[in-house]
Amino acid sequence: MDNRAPSYATSRSRRTHRKSRRGCGNCKTRRVKCDETEPACNNCLRHSVTCDYGQQPSHTISSMSDTRADPRQKPQQKQTTDFAFITSSQSEFAVPKRARRETSFNKTPPLPASAPETAVAPRPFQFTVTDMAMFHNCFSAEDLKHHMPDELVRLGFSVHYVLRLLLAVSGFHMKRKPSRSNINVHQFSEPDVDFGAEAERHLGIAIQEVATTTPQLNQANSHSLYIASIFIFICSLAKGPQHGEYLAFRDDGDMPSLYLFLGVRSILEATNKLGTSEGLSQLHSSTSQESPSESEALSQHITTSPFYKLDNHNFLESCSYWKPLNDLQSLMNSTFNPSDDCYHKYKSVFESLCSSYDAIMGAHDSPGPDLWPLVFSWLYTLPDLLVHDMQKKHPVALLLMSFFSVLLNELDSVWFITGWSRHIVCGVNDNLDDYHRNFLTWPLHKLGLV
């Protein structure tokens, strides 16, 4: 008789293996065999996780055997360890992230709070041929080259949103006034180039970068944000009059361009609280032609003007604007209650408008640097109540804006203001009823719209 075991018995025999309870925590959790290789087992090395095999205390086995020996003894609380549990049998299995060793050159020290401002753009500024043409136009066009000081250009090279705004202004100039540009747009090297679209692209990127930087306003970036706010407002005018946009109000109820101009005031007020930075004072002195003595004389002239007191209009009877302004004042007195706070604010705005008329009308030969603060100071000092009422198309507020447009028309020869005064008055006329439209007769005649 053959004593050999049958073949099926041999194939079903179980292989013997050494039992061990000293495996690492990862292998125990996954219920796989640990090869107990020191200092880290091969399973943990294959999955790029931290192996705790060499960190287990020597009394672990004895404590486990003691717990098994006496079932009445409460098991000790298991210490929590941050294991990287990875299993391919679970439905939520995800590919593990490889551990990376941190080196010293990857650690970037934090920038100090007073570090000088650098370019905000996360990517390098890459000039295209169209950008080069717009940059060249900044210093070759007669309308632009006298308003681009070297300090402004140097600031643009270090702060990208300032450079983008310079290109945007130049692009809008080439779009609206191609005859004044030294570059022949029709024979440009790139076919079908749209300088207006390129200007819009630079303006959109610059506005996003300015909006990101404004909450972090400090002395280091105050001068660049101040200059950026001015050029953003100029770009809104440089696009040209747009249908439904009338500087102080819009047909769709959205924020008008006047809010961009008031943003200049907000940034300047915040900068004054921080203290005037050196860069701001240099740029402001380079772009402004008005001296402190001229500013003080202008302020004294306005406050001491006979027209500043509304009770004395005798000397203005010969002026063409006295009668329409007097009618506007009568409308204001009949619309508001003199005891209301809004009446006093409207009265103050009206007095400022009358003073601007007294200082501007017939007091100059051509638009010069002295005329700019006389015209835009009225917009700059508008209270929030008037700005809100203009946006809501209050009749008296719209009429005040139409009379201001007559003063704005004195700067109509400036390329980015051309056409805005007539456009605003036409918008006011479309939003007034028949009764209030009677007070608009003089501005319409003055601007040649009747």
Side-chain angles (χ1 to χ4, degrees):
M1 184 176 180
D2 190 1
N3 293 330
R4 291 179 301 175
S7 59
Y8 70 88
T10 305
S11 61
R12 292 172 61 92
S13 61
R14 186 175 181 181
R15 294 182 300 174
T16 60
H17 61 277
R18 180 176 60 86
K19 293 183 178 181
S20 174
R21 299 183 183 276
R22 299 182 62 245
C24 70
N26 289 333
C27 293
K28 289 180 180 179
T29 306
R30 297 175 57 217
R31 296 183 179 181
V32 296
K33 179 176 175 56
C34 180
D35 56 13
E36 301 179 6
T37 303
E38 293 184 1
C41 68
N42 291 326
N43 290 334
C44 294
L45 291 177
R46 187 169 62 254
H47 290 88
S48 299
V49 295
T50 304
C51 182
D52 64 337
Y53 177 72
Q55 302 176 0
Q56 292 187 358
S58 57
H59 58 80
T60 303
I61 301 178
S62 60
S63 61
M64 293 177 58
S65 60
D66 295 341
T67 305
R68 287 178 176 270
D70 189 359
R72 294 173 299 177
Q73 183 179 1
K74 295 182 179 180
Q76 296 180 357
Q77 186 177 1
K78 186 178 180 180
Q79 296 180 353
T80 57
T81 309
D82 294 333
F83 296 125
F85 176 46
I86 304 173
T87 175
S88 59
S89 62
Q90 294 182 348
S91 59
E92 66 270 17
F93 172 75
V95 179
K97 295 182 179 180
R98 300 297 179 182
R100 298 183 182 274
R101 180 179 299 176
E102 294 186 358
T103 56
S104 58
F105 59 85
N106 286 331
K107 297 181 180 179
T108 304
L111 294 176
S114 59
E117 185 184 11
T118 56
V120 180
R123 299 183 301 273
F125 196 105
Q126 298 179 351
F127 261 36
T128 63
V129 177
T130 305
D131 295 336
M132 293 293 292
M134 293 189 294
F135 187 76
H136 171 73
N137 185 64
C138 287
F139 307 99
S140 59
E142 294 293 333
D143 297 336
L144 297 178
K145 64 182 182 180
H146 298 297
H147 304 282
M148 300 292 178
D150 295 339
E151 293 81 0
L152 186 60
V153 178
R154 285 195 291 267
L155 178 64
F157 285 143
S158 60
V159 184
H160 285 178
Y161 57 76
V162 174
L163 179 59
R164 291 189 183 276
L165 290 172
L166 297 181
L167 295 178
V169 171
S170 179
F172 288 129
H173 175 266
M174 298 174 70
K175 179 72 174 181
R176 293 188 63 186
K177 303 292 182 180
S179 59
R180 299 189 185 183
S181 174
N182 291 340
I183 298 177
N184 192 339
V185 178
H186 301 287
Q187 297 180 357
F188 196 65
S189 58
E190 291 186 354
D192 302 328
V193 65
D194 188 350
F195 289 103
E198 290 297 316
E200 288 280 5
R201 181 178 66 86
H202 284 294
L203 177 61
I205 298 175
I207 290 177
Q208 293 179 357
E209 295 177 355
V210 170
T212 304
T213 311
T214 301
Q216 305 170 0
L217 178 66
N218 53 53
Q219 288 187 348
N221 60 23
S222 59
H223 59 291
S224 60
L225 289 175
Y226 172 71
I227 294 298
S229 62
I230 293 177
F231 274 89
I232 288 175
F233 174 67
I234 292 177
C235 285
S236 67
L237 299 178
K239 297 178 184 179
Q242 306 292 322
H243 178 71
E245 160 65 42
Y246 304 100
L247 186 61
F249 62 96
R250 294 175 60 99
D251 287 343
D252 55 7
D254 202 357
M255 293 295 182
S257 300
L258 179 59
Y259 282 85
L260 298 176
F261 182 67
L262 298 180
V264 179
R265 182 176 68 183
S266 301
I267 292 180
L268 186 58
E269 291 175 352
T271 302
N272 291 335
K273 294 179 180 179
L274 294 173
T276 304
S277 63
E278 182 180 357
L280 177 59
S281 58
Q282 290 178 355
L283 286 172
H284 196 271
S285 61
S286 300
T287 56
S288 176
Q289 302 292 335
E290 184 182 8
S291 63
S293 58
E294 292 174 346
S295 178
E296 294 174 0
L298 172 63
S299 177
Q300 184 179 4
H301 171 72
I302 292 178
T303 55
T304 58
S305 171
F307 206 177
Y308 193 76
K309 303 298 181 181
L310 298 181
D311 298 334
N312 185 6
H313 295 312
N314 295 329
F315 84 106
L316 291 170
E317 292 181 357
S318 60
C319 299
S320 61
Y321 51 85
W322 174 81
K323 177 75 166 55
L325 282 174
N326 191 35
D327 294 340
L328 180 59
Q329 181 189 9
S330 300
L331 174 65
M332 186 179 62
N333 293 335
S334 61
T335 303
F336 301 101
N337 188 344
S339 61
D340 292 343
D341 181 61
C342 62
Y343 170 77
H344 296 284
K345 291 185 178 180
Y346 269 84
K347 181 181 177 181
S348 176
V349 170
F350 180 75
E351 290 176 351
S352 177
L353 181 65
C354 293
S355 300
S356 297
Y357 265 87
D358 182 34
I360 294 174
M361 300 301 287
H364 62 278
D365 297 328
S366 60
D370 295 338
L371 192 60
W372 284 85
L374 290 173
V375 174
F376 283 97
S377 61
W378 186 80
L379 278 182
Y380 189 85
T381 57
L382 280 178
D384 295 338
L385 174 65
L386 267 294
V387 176
H388 179 267
D389 286 352
M390 288 179 182
Q391 185 184 8
K392 297 301 180 182
K393 302 177 183 179
H394 190 283
V396 179
L398 292 183
L399 287 172
L400 286 170
M401 190 63 191
S402 66
F403 276 79
F404 165 76
S405 299
V406 177
L407 300 180
L408 184 64
N409 191 60
E410 298 296 317
L411 298 173
D412 194 67
S413 60
V414 181
W415 69 271
F416 60 87
I417 300 182
T418 302
W420 270 103
S421 56
R422 292 180 292 275
H423 179 70
I424 294 172
V425 173
C426 289
V428 171
N429 182 72
D430 295 338
N431 286 276
L432 291 178
D433 52 38
D434 293 337
Y435 172 73
H436 291 93
R437 197 173 287 127
N438 294 325
F439 298 89
L440 196 61
T441 304
W442 183 79
L444 289 173
H445 279 281
K446 190 67 177 177
L447 298 178
L449 297 173
V450 176

